[in-house]
PDB file of all heavy atoms in Angstrom:
ATOM      1  N   PRO A   1      13.693   1.744   1.795  1.00  0.00           N
ATOM      2  CA  PRO A   1      13.473   3.134   1.347  1.00  0.00           C
ATOM      3  C   PRO A   1      12.014   3.489   1.085  1.00  0.00           C
ATOM      4  O   PRO A   1      11.563   4.575   1.463  1.00  0.00           O
ATOM      5  CB  PRO A   1      14.315   3.224   0.068  1.00  0.00           C
ATOM      6  CG  PRO A   1      15.411   2.226   0.276  1.00  0.00           C
ATOM      7  CD  PRO A   1      14.762   1.099   1.016  1.00  0.00           C
ATOM      8  N   VAL A   2      11.254   2.595   0.445  1.00  0.00           N
ATOM      9  CA  VAL A   2       9.862   2.964   0.151  1.00  0.00           C
ATOM     10  C   VAL A   2       9.011   2.947   1.426  1.00  0.00           C
ATOM     11  O   VAL A   2       8.092   3.767   1.571  1.00  0.00           O
ATOM     12  CB  VAL A   2       9.232   2.079  -0.953  1.00  0.00           C
ATOM     13  CG1 VAL A   2       9.975   2.257  -2.268  1.00  0.00           C
ATOM     14  CG2 VAL A   2       9.171   0.621  -0.564  1.00  0.00           C
ATOM     15  N   LEU A   3       9.313   2.045   2.354  1.00  0.00           N
ATOM     16  CA  LEU A   3       8.613   2.082   3.639  1.00  0.00           C
ATOM     17  C   LEU A   3       8.930   3.374   4.389  1.00  0.00           C
ATOM     18  O   LEU A   3       8.050   3.993   4.994  1.00  0.00           O
ATOM     19  CB  LEU A   3       8.994   0.876   4.499  1.00  0.00           C
ATOM     20  CG  LEU A   3       8.043  -0.330   4.469  1.00  0.00           C
ATOM     21  CD1 LEU A   3       7.970  -0.958   3.086  1.00  0.00           C
ATOM     22  CD2 LEU A   3       8.451  -1.369   5.515  1.00  0.00           C
ATOM     23  N   ARG A   4      10.170   3.802   4.315  1.00  0.00           N
ATOM     24  CA  ARG A   4      10.579   5.009   5.029  1.00  0.00           C
ATOM     25  C   ARG A   4       9.882   6.251   4.459  1.00  0.00           C
ATOM     26  O   ARG A   4       9.440   7.128   5.210  1.00  0.00           O
ATOM     27  CB  ARG A   4      12.101   5.179   4.945  1.00  0.00           C
ATOM     28  CG  ARG A   4      12.619   6.397   5.716  1.00  0.00           C
ATOM     29  CD  ARG A   4      14.138   6.505   5.615  1.00  0.00           C
ATOM     30  NE  ARG A   4      14.779   5.347   6.209  1.00  0.00           N
ATOM     31  CZ  ARG A   4      15.011   5.197   7.504  1.00  0.00           C
ATOM     32  NH1 ARG A   4      14.637   6.166   8.349  1.00  0.00           N
ATOM     33  NH2 ARG A   4      15.618   4.127   7.967  1.00  0.00           N
ATOM     34  N   ILE A   5       9.771   6.339   3.140  1.00  0.00           N
ATOM     35  CA  ILE A   5       9.139   7.508   2.521  1.00  0.00           C
ATOM     36  C   ILE A   5       7.681   7.635   2.962  1.00  0.00           C
ATOM     37  O   ILE A   5       7.202   8.726   3.292  1.00  0.00           O
ATOM     38  CB  ILE A   5       9.249   7.422   0.987  1.00  0.00           C
ATOM     39  CG1 ILE A   5      10.705   7.638   0.550  1.00  0.00           C
ATOM     40  CG2 ILE A   5       8.348   8.452   0.309  1.00  0.00           C
ATOM     41  CD1 ILE A   5      10.953   7.321  -0.913  1.00  0.00           C
ATOM     42  N   ALA A   6       6.961   6.521   2.966  1.00  0.00           N
ATOM     43  CA  ALA A   6       5.569   6.563   3.416  1.00  0.00           C
ATOM     44  C   ALA A   6       5.473   6.955   4.887  1.00  0.00           C
ATOM     45  O   ALA A   6       4.573   7.710   5.288  1.00  0.00           O
ATOM     46  CB  ALA A   6       4.900   5.216   3.181  1.00  0.00           C
ATOM     47  N   ALA A   7       6.404   6.462   5.696  1.00  0.00           N
ATOM     48  CA  ALA A   7       6.400   6.817   7.124  1.00  0.00           C
ATOM     49  C   ALA A   7       6.665   8.309   7.306  1.00  0.00           C
ATOM     50  O   ALA A   7       6.081   8.948   8.191  1.00  0.00           O
ATOM     51  CB  ALA A   7       7.444   5.990   7.862  1.00  0.00           C
ATOM     52  N   GLU A   8       7.522   8.877   6.477  1.00  0.00           N
ATOM     53  CA  GLU A   8       7.799  10.316   6.554  1.00  0.00           C
ATOM     54  C   GLU A   8       6.554  11.121   6.181  1.00  0.00           C
ATOM     55  O   GLU A   8       6.248  12.135   6.812  1.00  0.00           O
ATOM     56  CB  GLU A   8       8.959  10.667   5.629  1.00  0.00           C
ATOM     57  CG  GLU A   8      10.309  10.136   6.111  1.00  0.00           C
ATOM     58  CD  GLU A   8      11.411  10.304   5.073  1.00  0.00           C
ATOM     59  OE1 GLU A   8      11.110  10.689   3.914  1.00  0.00           O
ATOM     60  OE2 GLU A   8      12.583  10.039   5.417  1.00  0.00           O
ATOM     61  N   ALA A   9       5.852  10.686   5.143  1.00  0.00           N
ATOM     62  CA  ALA A   9       4.616  11.376   4.756  1.00  0.00           C
ATOM     63  C   ALA A   9       3.570  11.255   5.862  1.00  0.00           C
ATOM     64  O   ALA A   9       2.844  12.216   6.152  1.00  0.00           O
ATOM     65  CB  ALA A   9       4.078  10.801   3.450  1.00  0.00           C
ATOM     66  N   ALA A  10       3.504  10.095   6.496  1.00  0.00           N
ATOM     67  CA  ALA A  10       2.541   9.900   7.586  1.00  0.00           C
ATOM     68  C   ALA A  10       2.855  10.806   8.769  1.00  0.00           C
ATOM     69  O   ALA A  10       1.945  11.295   9.453  1.00  0.00           O
ATOM     70  CB  ALA A  10       2.547   8.441   8.018  1.00  0.00           C
ATOM     71  N   ALA A  11       4.144  11.046   9.000  1.00  0.00           N
ATOM     72  CA  ALA A  11       4.551  11.886  10.131  1.00  0.00           C
ATOM     73  C   ALA A  11       4.161  13.346   9.939  1.00  0.00           C
ATOM     74  O   ALA A  11       4.163  14.119  10.908  1.00  0.00           O
ATOM     75  CB  ALA A  11       6.058  11.771  10.338  1.00  0.00           C
ATOM     76  N   GLU A  12       3.820  13.731   8.721  1.00  0.00           N
ATOM     77  CA  GLU A  12       3.375  15.100   8.456  1.00  0.00           C
ATOM     78  C   GLU A  12       1.942  15.351   8.931  1.00  0.00           C
ATOM     79  O   GLU A  12       1.507  16.495   8.996  1.00  0.00           O
ATOM     80  CB  GLU A  12       3.457  15.391   6.953  1.00  0.00           C
ATOM     81  CG  GLU A  12       4.857  15.298   6.362  1.00  0.00           C
ATOM     82  CD  GLU A  12       4.871  15.412   4.845  1.00  0.00           C
ATOM     83  OE1 GLU A  12       3.774  15.423   4.245  1.00  0.00           O
ATOM     84  OE2 GLU A  12       5.973  15.475   4.265  1.00  0.00           O
ATOM     85  N   ARG A  13       1.230  14.288   9.251  1.00  0.00           N
ATOM     86  CA  ARG A  13      -0.192  14.407   9.595  1.00  0.00           C
ATOM     87  C   ARG A  13      -0.385  14.674  11.080  1.00  0.00           C
ATOM     88  O   ARG A  13       0.351  14.148  11.924  1.00  0.00           O
ATOM     89  CB  ARG A  13      -0.934  13.119   9.228  1.00  0.00           C
ATOM     90  CG  ARG A  13      -0.619  12.556   7.872  1.00  0.00           C
ATOM     91  CD  ARG A  13      -1.067  13.451   6.756  1.00  0.00           C
ATOM     92  NE  ARG A  13      -2.519  13.605   6.734  1.00  0.00           N
ATOM     93  CZ  ARG A  13      -3.161  14.243   5.766  1.00  0.00           C
ATOM     94  NH1 ARG A  13      -2.501  14.772   4.751  1.00  0.00           N
ATOM     95  NH2 ARG A  13      -4.485  14.349   5.805  1.00  0.00           N
ATOM     96  N   ASP A  14      -1.400  15.460  11.403  1.00  0.00           N
ATOM     97  CA  ASP A  14      -1.746  15.669  12.805  1.00  0.00           C
ATOM     98  C   ASP A  14      -2.298  14.391  13.434  1.00  0.00           C
ATOM     99  O   ASP A  14      -2.040  14.095  14.600  1.00  0.00           O
ATOM    100  CB  ASP A  14      -2.790  16.789  12.929  1.00  0.00           C
ATOM    101  CG  ASP A  14      -2.227  18.154  12.561  1.00  0.00           C
ATOM    102  OD1 ASP A  14      -1.002  18.336  12.703  1.00  0.00           O
ATOM    103  OD2 ASP A  14      -3.006  19.017  12.117  1.00  0.00           O
ATOM    104  N   THR A  15      -3.086  13.649  12.635  1.00  0.00           N
ATOM    105  CA  THR A  15      -3.603  12.353  13.084  1.00  0.00           C
ATOM    106  C   THR A  15      -2.878  11.260  12.315  1.00  0.00           C
ATOM    107  O   THR A  15      -3.105  11.090  11.121  1.00  0.00           O
ATOM    108  CB  THR A  15      -5.118  12.245  12.837  1.00  0.00           C
ATOM    109  OG1 THR A  15      -5.785  13.304  13.509  1.00  0.00           O
ATOM    110  CG2 THR A  15      -5.652  10.904  13.334  1.00  0.00           C
ATOM    111  N   PRO A  16      -1.976  10.525  12.953  1.00  0.00           N
ATOM    112  CA  PRO A  16      -1.186   9.529  12.229  1.00  0.00           C
ATOM    113  C   PRO A  16      -2.062   8.439  11.627  1.00  0.00           C
ATOM    114  O   PRO A  16      -2.962   7.913  12.289  1.00  0.00           O
ATOM    115  CB  PRO A  16      -0.268   8.950  13.311  1.00  0.00           C
ATOM    116  CG  PRO A  16      -0.249   9.978  14.402  1.00  0.00           C
ATOM    117  CD  PRO A  16      -1.603  10.608  14.373  1.00  0.00           C
ATOM    118  N   PRO A  17      -1.832   8.087  10.370  1.00  0.00           N
ATOM    119  CA  PRO A  17      -2.576   6.999   9.735  1.00  0.00           C
ATOM    120  C   PRO A  17      -2.023   5.640  10.149  1.00  0.00           C
ATOM    121  O   PRO A  17      -0.932   5.539  10.713  1.00  0.00           O
ATOM    122  CB  PRO A  17      -2.335   7.246   8.241  1.00  0.00           C
ATOM    123  CG  PRO A  17      -0.968   7.866   8.200  1.00  0.00           C
ATOM    124  CD  PRO A  17      -0.881   8.725   9.434  1.00  0.00           C
ATOM    125  N   ILE A  18      -2.794   4.604   9.841  1.00  0.00           N
ATOM    126  CA  ILE A  18      -2.335   3.232  10.043  1.00  0.00           C
ATOM    127  C   ILE A  18      -1.295   2.903   8.975  1.00  0.00           C
ATOM    128  O   ILE A  18      -1.512   3.130   7.783  1.00  0.00           O
ATOM    129  CB  ILE A  18      -3.511   2.250   9.941  1.00  0.00           C
ATOM    130  CG1 ILE A  18      -4.568   2.556  10.996  1.00  0.00           C
ATOM    131  CG2 ILE A  18      -3.033   0.805  10.057  1.00  0.00           C
ATOM    132  CD1 ILE A  18      -5.892   1.858  10.741  1.00  0.00           C
ATOM    133  N   LEU A  19      -0.151   2.394   9.377  1.00  0.00           N
ATOM    134  CA  LEU A  19       0.895   1.995   8.438  1.00  0.00           C
ATOM    135  C   LEU A  19       1.023   0.475   8.451  1.00  0.00           C
ATOM    136  O   LEU A  19       1.289  -0.127   9.493  1.00  0.00           O
ATOM    137  CB  LEU A  19       2.228   2.640   8.813  1.00  0.00           C
ATOM    138  CG  LEU A  19       2.319   4.160   8.635  1.00  0.00           C
ATOM    139  CD1 LEU A  19       3.666   4.671   9.143  1.00  0.00           C
ATOM    140  CD2 LEU A  19       2.109   4.551   7.175  1.00  0.00           C
ATOM    141  N   VAL A  20       0.821  -0.113   7.282  1.00  0.00           N
ATOM    142  CA  VAL A  20       0.871  -1.570   7.125  1.00  0.00           C
ATOM    143  C   VAL A  20       1.975  -1.900   6.135  1.00  0.00           C
ATOM    144  O   VAL A  20       2.011  -1.353   5.023  1.00  0.00           O
ATOM    145  CB  VAL A  20      -0.469  -2.120   6.613  1.00  0.00           C
ATOM    146  CG1 VAL A  20      -0.400  -3.642   6.466  1.00  0.00           C
ATOM    147  CG2 VAL A  20      -1.612  -1.722   7.531  1.00  0.00           C
ATOM    148  N   ALA A  21       2.873  -2.786   6.509  1.00  0.00           N
ATOM    149  CA  ALA A  21       3.976  -3.190   5.638  1.00  0.00           C
ATOM    150  C   ALA A  21       3.755  -4.609   5.155  1.00  0.00           C
ATOM    151  O   ALA A  21       3.391  -5.491   5.940  1.00  0.00           O
ATOM    152  CB  ALA A  21       5.304  -3.104   6.387  1.00  0.00           C
ATOM    153  N   GLY A  22       3.983  -4.844   3.881  1.00  0.00           N
ATOM    154  CA  GLY A  22       3.908  -6.196   3.361  1.00  0.00           C
ATOM    155  C   GLY A  22       5.098  -7.021   3.826  1.00  0.00           C
ATOM    156  O   GLY A  22       6.232  -6.532   3.864  1.00  0.00           O
ATOM    157  N   ALA A  23       4.840  -8.264   4.208  1.00  0.00           N
ATOM    158  CA  ALA A  23       5.902  -9.207   4.576  1.00  0.00           C
ATOM    159  C   ALA A  23       5.663 -10.495   3.809  1.00  0.00           C
ATOM    160  O   ALA A  23       4.547 -11.020   3.797  1.00  0.00           O
ATOM    161  CB  ALA A  23       5.918  -9.466   6.083  1.00  0.00           C
ATOM    162  N   ILE A  24       6.695 -10.989   3.150  1.00  0.00           N
ATOM    163  CA  ILE A  24       6.550 -12.165   2.301  1.00  0.00           C
ATOM    164  C   ILE A  24       7.615 -13.203   2.631  1.00  0.00           C
ATOM    165  O   ILE A  24       8.501 -12.966   3.451  1.00  0.00           O
ATOM    166  CB  ILE A  24       6.637 -11.791   0.802  1.00  0.00           C
ATOM    167  CG1 ILE A  24       8.055 -11.327   0.441  1.00  0.00           C
ATOM    168  CG2 ILE A  24       5.624 -10.710   0.453  1.00  0.00           C
ATOM    169  CD1 ILE A  24       8.275 -11.148  -1.058  1.00  0.00           C
ATOM    170  N   GLY A  25       7.521 -14.354   1.953  1.00  0.00           N
ATOM    171  CA  GLY A  25       8.560 -15.369   2.056  1.00  0.00           C
ATOM    172  C   GLY A  25       8.381 -16.307   3.227  1.00  0.00           C
ATOM    173  O   GLY A  25       7.360 -16.307   3.920  1.00  0.00           O
ATOM    174  N   ARG A  26       9.407 -17.127   3.427  1.00  0.00           N
ATOM    175  CA  ARG A  26       9.423 -18.042   4.563  1.00  0.00           C
ATOM    176  C   ARG A  26       9.720 -17.263   5.847  1.00  0.00           C
ATOM    177  O   ARG A  26       9.925 -16.056   5.836  1.00  0.00           O
ATOM    178  CB  ARG A  26      10.434 -19.156   4.305  1.00  0.00           C
ATOM    179  CG  ARG A  26      10.001 -20.136   3.197  1.00  0.00           C
ATOM    180  CD  ARG A  26       8.941 -21.087   3.720  1.00  0.00           C
ATOM    181  NE  ARG A  26       8.430 -21.985   2.695  1.00  0.00           N
ATOM    182  CZ  ARG A  26       8.025 -23.228   2.928  1.00  0.00           C
ATOM    183  NH1 ARG A  26       8.089 -23.715   4.152  1.00  0.00           N
ATOM    184  NH2 ARG A  26       7.543 -23.974   1.959  1.00  0.00           N
ATOM    185  N   THR A  27       9.788 -17.965   6.950  1.00  0.00           N
ATOM    186  CA  THR A  27       9.775 -17.305   8.249  1.00  0.00           C
ATOM    187  C   THR A  27      10.936 -16.338   8.443  1.00  0.00           C
ATOM    188  O   THR A  27      10.740 -15.212   8.920  1.00  0.00           O
ATOM    189  CB  THR A  27       9.761 -18.352   9.374  1.00  0.00           C
ATOM    190  OG1 THR A  27       8.636 -19.228   9.184  1.00  0.00           O
ATOM    191  CG2 THR A  27       9.646 -17.682  10.730  1.00  0.00           C
ATOM    192  N   ASP A  28      12.160 -16.723   8.080  1.00  0.00           N
ATOM    193  CA  ASP A  28      13.307 -15.844   8.294  1.00  0.00           C
ATOM    194  C   ASP A  28      13.119 -14.514   7.570  1.00  0.00           C
ATOM    195  O   ASP A  28      13.387 -13.445   8.127  1.00  0.00           O
ATOM    196  CB  ASP A  28      14.604 -16.519   7.827  1.00  0.00           C
ATOM    197  CG  ASP A  28      15.045 -17.633   8.753  1.00  0.00           C
ATOM    198  OD1 ASP A  28      14.481 -17.742   9.862  1.00  0.00           O
ATOM    199  OD2 ASP A  28      15.944 -18.401   8.371  1.00  0.00           O
ATOM    200  N   GLN A  29      12.669 -14.571   6.321  1.00  0.00           N
ATOM    201  CA  GLN A  29      12.484 -13.345   5.555  1.00  0.00           C
ATOM    202  C   GLN A  29      11.344 -12.505   6.123  1.00  0.00           C
ATOM    203  O   GLN A  29      11.477 -11.287   6.287  1.00  0.00           O
ATOM    204  CB  GLN A  29      12.199 -13.657   4.085  1.00  0.00           C
ATOM    205  CG  GLN A  29      11.962 -12.407   3.243  1.00  0.00           C
ATOM    206  CD  GLN A  29      11.711 -12.698   1.776  1.00  0.00           C
ATOM    207  OE1 GLN A  29      11.862 -13.831   1.331  1.00  0.00           O
ATOM    208  NE2 GLN A  29      11.343 -11.683   1.022  1.00  0.00           N
ATOM    209  N   ALA A  30      10.223 -13.134   6.414  1.00  0.00           N
ATOM    210  CA  ALA A  30       9.073 -12.390   6.918  1.00  0.00           C
ATOM    211  C   ALA A  30       9.369 -11.735   8.261  1.00  0.00           C
ATOM    212  O   ALA A  30       8.970 -10.585   8.514  1.00  0.00           O
ATOM    213  CB  ALA A  30       7.853 -13.316   7.023  1.00  0.00           C
ATOM    214  N   VAL A  31      10.068 -12.440   9.129  1.00  0.00           N
ATOM    215  CA  VAL A  31      10.441 -11.875  10.425  1.00  0.00           C
ATOM    216  C   VAL A  31      11.390 -10.696  10.241  1.00  0.00           C
ATOM    217  O   VAL A  31      11.252  -9.646  10.895  1.00  0.00           O
ATOM    218  CB  VAL A  31      11.065 -12.954  11.332  1.00  0.00           C
ATOM    219  CG1 VAL A  31      11.754 -12.320  12.536  1.00  0.00           C
ATOM    220  CG2 VAL A  31       9.996 -13.943  11.799  1.00  0.00           C
TER     221      VAL A  31
END
């Protein structure tokens, strides 16, 4: 949900910003 909200705000822009998502944990979780 929080990733989606930021993506929606980014979609309001004429010039799309860079969107970076945090990924943590061991490989299965991060993937």
